[in-house]
Each structure stands twice: as C-alpha cells, then as structure tokens.
C-alpha cells in the first residue's frame, strides 16, 4: 500500500504558513514504514528540532483505478479515519529554500499514525465530516471536510491521473489551521465526528 498526502487544502492553513494557493491538488507520498502500530508511542526523531502535527482526514481506496473521472471517484473510496501527517518543519524549510524535494521532512519512519477506518456511509454527517485533535487535553485543531479547497472526488481523480490507485492505499486530505509543535511527553488524542478515535504519546 502507499500513503498519498495532499498539501495546502484548507485556506486558513495555507495562510498560516504563508504559502501560495494551489490551482490544483498538490500531493506527495509517504512509504508504508511511516505507519505507527496501534497503541505504540511516536518516537521523536533525532534529526529534527521542530516536529509539527497536522491532523487530517484519511481516505481509504477500495478499488484500483487510474484516470478516474471526478464523477466516478466516489466508487473508489469507502472508508475514512483521522491521522497525523507528522512534518519535520525545520528540514522542510531548508529543503524549500534549496528547491529540493521534501521527502526527508515528510516520509520518515512513523510519520503517518492513523486510526481505525470507519465506513463513510455509517457516519452521522458524511457530507461535512468533523474531526480534530487534542494535545495534552486541549483542542488544538478542529476541522470540517466542507472547508477543503479540493474535495475527495477531485483529489482521487487528480491523483489517479499520475499514479494508479490500488485497493488499500490511503490518502491524507490536508490539514486545517492550527498546526504546531509536539514535544517529548505530549499526549495526542484524535477525534472523528467528536468521538475519540485513538491516541498516543510522544517519547
Ligand atoms: Mg499535511
């Protein structure tokens, strides 16, 4: 399986990082080794001094396809969860300044913890999915899928023009505003539709 991540998909987050608005979805990938086992702590990597959380809805692809039309895209995903797109912001800034790819800032081990998937059809409000994250018991990010610049169908259609999507692939759909740093000792709790989904510690 592969993990595809959409960047700059919520207006307020694009502004908080002072980035340009994308004309179409932009994406990057993380390898399978970015997963974190359920219940395991996140080990703070030794190569960064500025690890940021980005709380995101994550789609699961249920059928393989390429060049998927936007009008057909909803047939290709059926489940959703919440995950963290951990980012070494210090390394990412250095890569951006040099015009280099960002892989070292995004694709490192355990950089994509995610919860159990739920069927989208069983959600209370599938048309506007609420999600969020509490850091040490305080809300730091709360998002709604209606605020995405590019919706799920557009994302699936766009990515599949370039990369064949396979059953089991996961797509992080971008973070709302409120990104920030984590530190050793922090506790993260993730929520889908205001219900606790999973949590873990930073060690
Ligand atoms: Mg992200």
């Amino acid at each position: 399986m592969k993990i595809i991540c959409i960047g700059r998909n919520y207006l307020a987050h694009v502004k908080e990082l002072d980035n340009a608005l994308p004309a179409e979805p932009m994406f990057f990938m993380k390898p399978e080794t970015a997963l974190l086992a359920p219940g395991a702590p996140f080990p703070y990597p030794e190569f960064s001094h500025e690890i940021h959380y980005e709380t995101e809805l994550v789609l699961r692809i249920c059928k393989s396809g390429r060049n998927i039309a936007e009008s057909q895209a909803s047939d290709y995903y059926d489940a959703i969860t919440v995950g963290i797109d951990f980012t070494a912001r210090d390394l990412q800034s250095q890569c951006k300044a040099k015009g280099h790819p960002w892989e070292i800032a995004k694709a490192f081990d355990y950089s994509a913890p995610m919860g159990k998937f739920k069927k989208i059809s069983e959600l209370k409000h599938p048309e506007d999915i609420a999600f969020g994250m509490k850091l040490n018991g305080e809300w730091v990010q709360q998002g709604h899928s209606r605020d995405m610049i590019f919706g799920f169908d557009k994302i699936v259609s766009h990515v599949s023009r370039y990369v064949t999507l396979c059953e089991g692939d996961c797509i992080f759909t971008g973070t709302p505003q409120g990104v920030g740093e984590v530190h050793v000792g922090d506790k993260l709790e993730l929520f889908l539709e205001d219900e606790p989904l999973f949590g873990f510690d930073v060690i």
Side-chain angles (χ1 to χ4, degrees), residues 34 55-56 58 76 87 90 92 97 101 127-128 136 152 184 195:
T55 310
E56 309 194 6
V58 185
Y76 289 80
T87 304
D90 47 356
Q92 188 188 33
E127 74 292 347
D128 183 26
N136 302 321
F152 299 147
V184 171
E195 288 182 23

Side-chain angles (χ1 to χ4, degrees), residues 132-175:
M133 194 266 279
K134 282 184 183 177
L135 182 65
N136 302 321
E138 304 280 337
W139 285 111
V140 289
Q141 285 197 285
Q142 286 179 283
H144 290 267
S145 61
R146 65 164 177 245
D147 294 328
M148 293 188 299
I149 297 170
F150 303 108
F152 299 147
D153 293 349
K154 174 71 180 177
I155 289 169
V156 166
S157 173
H158 178 79
V159 172
S160 75
R161 289 177 59 197
Y162 303 93
V163 178
T164 297
L165 292 173
C166 301
E167 186 179 348
D169 286 350
C170 296
I171 306 181
F172 279 67
T173 57
T175 185

Side-chain angles (χ1 to χ4, degrees), residues 5-8 13 28 30 53-56 84-87 89 106 172-175 179:
C5 305
I6 305 298
R8 303 181 192 170
H13 171 64
F28 53 91
K30 297 182 186 239
Y53 55 80
E54 296 185 357
T55 310
E56 309 194 6
I84 298 285
D85 166 19
F86 274 124
T87 304
R89 197 71 74 199
K106 285 287 196 180
F172 279 67
T173 57
T175 185
V179 300

